[in-house]
Amino acid sequence: MNPQPYPLPGGGTGTELVIDQAAYHRQFAADVPAADAAVMAATQRPVATAALEEKTGEAAWKTIPSWALIATSDKNIPPAAERWMARRAGSHTTEVNASHAVAVSRPAEVTDVILDAARATR
């Protein structure tokens, strides 16, 4: 991760995290074809560190059903942490051998989880 400054509205500077383009394929999208990962690396939208530090309100998973897809080859969020969060939330869990870019590499499996959740909560 490469921290990069960016201007905040009204003044000041924030920090966003950018995945190094040379490491992007290996780190973020190992199961995506190299050419696609290169495009993803060049067009990535960094995450503002503030988004990782902000306090949230009441967690929705405490009162409504939840679904989780565990990407077992994720190098950004450890699968053990994903499993822990899913268990804590009582989520209906699906595991897929995929990288963090699971929505790109395994779109059918992601769609299935979304459709299962939609059908179950009608």
Side-chain angles (χ1 to χ4, degrees):
M1 299 297 280
N2 296 322
Q4 302 289 323
Y6 68 95
L8 294 171
T13 302
T15 301
E16 60 188 9
L17 302 174
V18 180
I19 300 172
D20 181 84
Q21 287 190 29
Y24 191 94
H25 188 214
R26 175 182 41 79
Q27 177 65 35
F28 192 85
D31 55 347
V32 172
D36 294 340
V39 172
M40 292 169 67
T43 60
Q44 68 180 291
R45 175 63 193 114
V47 63
T49 56
L52 304 173
E53 299 164 347
E54 292 176 357
K55 299 287 184 201
T56 63
E58 183 69 21
W61 55 260
K62 290 184 176 183
T63 58
I64 62 173
S66 67
W67 278 254
L69 189 145
I70 311 298
T72 61
S73 295
D74 195 329
K75 293 181 181 173
N76 292 285
I77 303 173
E82 294 178 31
R83 287 184 191 101
W84 178 82
M85 290 183 279
R87 276 193 307 274
R88 178 182 64 170
S91 299
H92 303 271
T93 303
T94 301
E95 294 203 10
V96 177
N97 182 16
S99 70
H100 195 76
V102 63
V104 175
S105 67
R106 305 289 291 273
E109 287 86 343
V110 173
T111 300
D112 288 345
V113 171
I114 293 167
L115 291 174
D116 287 347
R119 286 185 201 106
T121 57
R122 283 187 196 191

